[in-house]
Amino acid sequence: MSNSQFQNKSEEYRICHGADKFYIPLLILFVMTVLFLAYRQLTIPLLPEDTSLLLRWLQKDPLTLGFLVIAMSLLIWQVSFAIRYKPFARPESSKLPKLTVVVPAFNEGKQIFETIKSVLASDYPVEQLQLICIDDGSQDDTWRWMKSAEAEFENRLTLIKQPYNQGKRAALMAGFAKAHGEVIVTLDSDSEVLPNTLAEMVSPFVQDERIGCVAGNVRVLNKSEGIIPKMLEVSFTSAFDFIRAGQSVYGGVFCTPGALSAYKTTVLKPLIQEWSEQHFMGKPATIGEDRALTNLVLASGHRVVYQRTATVFTKVPVQFGGLRRMLTRWARSNVRENLVMLTYVFKSFRTAGEGANWVRLFSVMQIIRMTIFEALKCVLLVALLRDYYLVSIAIIFGCVTAAIIPSTVYYLRYQSLFGVRWAVPFSYFWLFCLAWIPIWGMFTASNSGWLTRAIAQPTEEELKTSEDESSENIPVAA
C-alpha cells in the first residue's frame, strides 16, 4: 500500500471524537458484572472445611474458574507471539534518514541537560540529526539548563519557549511544526538514550514501508533509588520485551511510549490536527498523548512495531504517591483509548493478512479486562469474607503465578536473577496497593489532570501571547 493510499485512509477515520458513546455503557456493564458475580458468590453454598481444596474451588464457583481458563488461553496466545519476535536489523549509515528528535520539558531542571547530552552523543550522522527542545512554561531553572546546553553544543539544537504551561501535547505540536526530518522521534525530558538508540529506532522504517511508528525499549534510569524503581524495572521489561514484542509480530503495538517513540513524518502530519483537537466527555484531552497518537496511526492502516535494541532509560517515581498519580493518569488514558479502538478496529482499517484480526482480538481483550477481570477484583473482597482460608490460599498462589512471566522474561533478557527477586514482591504490592487504580481510573476517565507536576494558571497576558502564536504551532497536513 502506498503512502498516498495510507493518507487517504487516515482521512476516512476521525476516531478521537467517537469514543464517548461507549463510556457510559462500559460503566453500566462493569457495575452489572460486579453485582452479578457478587450475587453468585453470596448464593453459592459453602462446603465443609474438610473437603479438599480443589473440590471446594471447583464446586464453589466454576464461573470464576472459567474466567481463569480464558485468561490462561489469552496468556498462551501472547506467549506464542512473543517467542516469534525479532528486532529489525540496523541499516548502513548511508541509508539512515534525516531525523528530528523532539523533547518537551516542564520543570525538569538539570536533567534536561543530561537528556540533551545523551542525544547529541549518539552515533547518528550529525548532518542528519535535528534536535528540538521545548520548555513548556517551566517554573524552575529548566530554561537556563537548556540555554547552557545550547551554548555548549553550538548550532546543534533548536530551543522553543512556551509562554506558559500548555501541556505536553501542545509542546510536542510546537516541536513538530519546526521538524524537518523524514522521521520524528519523541523523547521525554527525564530520559536518556544510548549512543546506538536513535539509529536503532529508525531501522524499522528503512526495512518496511508499511510501518507508521515505532516503540522504543523503556528501562528505569533511577533503579538504585528505591524499592519502587526496582520493581518497575522488572515490570517495564515484561511490558516491552513480552507484551509489545508479541504485538510487534502482527504490527499492532497498542502504545508507543512517550519516553521514546518514532513516527514517519508523512504519516504523522496528516493526523496532528485531529490529535490536537481530541476531547473526551466534552473535555479537552491533555493526557495519554502517546496512546492517542498510536491509535490514529493504527487506524490509518499502518503497522506499529517495537524495536528492542532501541533503549531509553527514564526516571520513575520513587515514592508511593508519585507512583499512584502516574498509574492513575495511565489508567484514565487506557480507558479512553481502549474505547477509541472500538471506533475503528471493526472497520476495514487493515486487511486480515496484515494482522487486523489480531488487533481486533486485543481490543476485545481490553474490554474484557476492564469489565469482567476488574469486577473479579471487587468480588474477591466478598469471597474473602465468606471463605477466608480458601481465598487466601488462592491469592498466595495467584500472586506467585503472576510473577512467573515477568521474572522469566527478565532472566532470559538479561541473564539476571534480579527479576526473580523483585517480580514476586511487585505482584503482592500491585494486588494490595495498586489494584484499585484501574477501577478508579475507569470512573474518573474524563479527568485530564496530569497529577504528577503542578501547573500554574496562565495570566491574561500569557493567554494573549499564546493566542497570537498558536497558528505557528500547528503543522499543515502534508
Side-chain angles (χ1 to χ4, degrees):
M1 194 179 285
S2 66
N3 282 337
S4 62
Q5 288 174 306
F6 277 131
Q7 291 176 21
N8 289 336
K9 285 182 68 64
S10 70
E11 293 296 321
E12 180 183 345
Y13 298 103
R14 291 304 179 203
I15 66 173
C16 284
H17 303 284
D20 301 46
K21 63 185 178 183
F22 298 115
Y23 183 49
I24 300 302
L26 174 74
L27 297 182
I28 294 174
L29 179 59
F30 170 74
V31 172
M32 291 179 63
T33 304
V34 171
L35 293 176
F36 170 71
L37 293 177
Y39 172 77
R40 288 193 80 260
Q41 184 63 229
L42 291 171
T43 55
I44 294 173
L46 293 174
L47 295 177
E49 291 295 329
D50 58 354
T51 306
S52 69
L53 285 179
L54 180 59
L55 180 60
R56 288 175 63 197
W57 180 263
L58 289 174
Q59 294 188 15
K60 186 173 186 295
D61 198 350
L63 183 62
T64 301
L65 186 63
F67 293 147
L68 180 61
V69 171
I70 293 174
M72 291 301 297
S73 299
L74 293 175
L75 178 61
I76 293 171
W77 171 68
Q78 290 178 307
V79 170
S80 69
F81 273 97
I83 60 178
R84 292 161 54 187
Y85 170 79
K86 292 182 180 179
F88 291 82
R90 177 173 172 169
E92 299 175 1
S93 296
S94 60
K95 294 184 179 179
L96 293 175
K98 185 172 177 58
L99 176 66
T100 297
V101 179
V102 178
V103 184
F106 176 64
N107 288 352
E108 201 57 71
K110 184 181 179 181
Q111 177 58 48
I112 187 60
F113 184 89
E114 300 301 323
T115 301
I116 292 171
K117 184 166 69 172
S118 74
V119 172
L120 296 180
S122 299
D123 57 11
Y124 209 87
V126 174
E127 66 279 3
Q128 295 285 87
L129 178 61
Q130 177 192 23
L131 174 59
I132 301 173
C133 297
I134 307 96
D135 180 358
D136 188 26
S138 296
Q139 301 157 359
D140 63 356
D141 59 352
T142 295
W143 181 249
R144 182 171 65 83
W145 282 107
M146 283 186 175
K147 296 296 288 185
S148 296
E150 183 183 45
E152 179 164 336
F153 304 103
E154 188 176 356
N155 299 323
R156 294 202 62 192
L157 68 154
T158 300
L159 300 184
I160 300 174
K161 186 174 178 61
Q162 301 279 68
Y164 68 93
N165 182 260
Q166 301 175 54
K168 187 176 180 180
R169 201 171 297 216
L172 286 170
M173 288 172 59
F176 293 160
K178 296 184 179 298
H180 302 305
E182 300 168 64
V183 174
I184 297 176
V185 167
T186 60
L187 177 68
D188 276 353
S189 55
D190 58 357
S191 305
E192 298 176 23
V193 296
L194 298 177
N196 70 325
T197 296
L198 296 182
E200 295 290 345
M201 276 297 284
V202 304
S203 299
F205 298 111
V206 178
Q207 304 290 338
D208 190 344
E209 66 173 9
R210 299 171 299 172
I211 293 172
C213 59
V214 177
N217 182 11
V218 182
R219 299 189 63 189
V220 174
L221 179 63
N222 55 334
K223 187 172 66 173
S224 62
E225 293 183 7
I227 293 175
I228 288 177
K230 288 180 172 64
M231 291 190 293
L232 289 180
E233 162 75 359
V234 180
S235 177
F236 280 14
T237 299
S238 177
F240 287 89
D241 282 324
F242 175 60
I243 296 175
R244 284 172 177 80
Q247 293 171 335
S248 184
V249 174
Y250 57 87
V253 172
F254 74 107
C255 180
T256 53
L260 182 64
S261 298
Y263 305 87
K264 186 184 294 184
T265 304
T266 55
V267 173
L268 175 68
K269 289 199 171 183
L271 305 173
I272 289 179
Q273 188 67 37
E274 182 181 358
W275 178 69
S276 68
E277 297 172 352
Q278 183 180 10
H279 283 63
F280 185 78
M281 301 302 291
K283 299 178 183 179
T286 56
I287 62 173
E289 76 294 328
D290 48 3
R291 179 88 190 269
L293 199 48
T294 307
N295 255 331
L296 285 166
V297 174
L298 282 171
S300 67
H302 290 81
R303 295 172 66 86
V304 180
V305 299
Y306 165 61
Q307 181 69 337
R308 174 182 288 164
T309 51
T311 304
V312 62
F313 291 86
T314 192
K315 287 187 175 179
V316 299
V318 177
Q319 303 296 329
F320 176 77
L323 177 64
R324 172 183 59 80
R325 291 188 290 271
M326 181 185 77
L327 294 181
T328 299
R329 188 176 73 244
W330 288 4
R332 290 167 176 166
S333 171
N334 187 56
V335 172
R336 297 180 186 189
E337 300 306 323
N338 285 337
L339 297 181
V340 167
M341 290 189 81
L342 294 179
T343 66
Y344 70 86
V345 292
F346 296 106
K347 299 178 181 178
S348 299
F349 75 102
R350 193 196 290 180
T351 60
E354 290 293 320
N357 287 334
W358 298 123
V359 178
R360 292 182 181 116
L361 178 57
F362 172 79
S363 181
V364 172
M365 285 170 53
Q366 292 298 90
I367 301 303
I368 292 174
R369 283 176 175 150
M370 289 195 301
T371 52
I372 296 176
F373 290 171
E374 294 302 328
L376 286 171
K377 293 180 187 176
C378 300
V379 178
L380 183 64
L381 297 176
V382 178
L384 273 170
L385 293 175
R386 294 201 72 210
D387 196 335
Y388 179 80
Y389 176 67
L390 175 63
V391 177
S392 297
I393 294 295
I395 288 175
I396 294 172
F397 175 76
C399 286
V400 173
T401 302
I404 292 175
I405 289 291
S407 57
T408 301
V409 171
Y410 197 93
Y411 180 79
L412 293 175
R413 184 76 174 91
Y414 302 112
Q415 283 71 56
S416 169
L417 293 178
F418 180 89
V420 178
R421 291 198 300 271
W422 292 105
V424 174
F426 182 70
S427 184
Y428 286 101
F429 178 64
W430 178 88
L431 179 63
F432 292 105
C433 300
L434 305 174
W436 60 273
I437 293 178
I439 299 174
W440 175 248
M442 189 187 315
F443 282 93
T444 60
S446 61
N447 189 329
S448 285
W450 195 259
L451 300 178
T452 50
R453 303 189 187 190
I455 299 176
Q457 294 299 314
T459 64
E460 291 185 7
E461 182 178 348
E462 289 172 332
L463 282 170
K464 185 178 185 302
T465 302
S466 176
E467 290 172 357
D468 293 339
E469 296 177 350
S470 62
S471 60
E472 300 177 7
N473 290 343
I474 303 180
V476 177

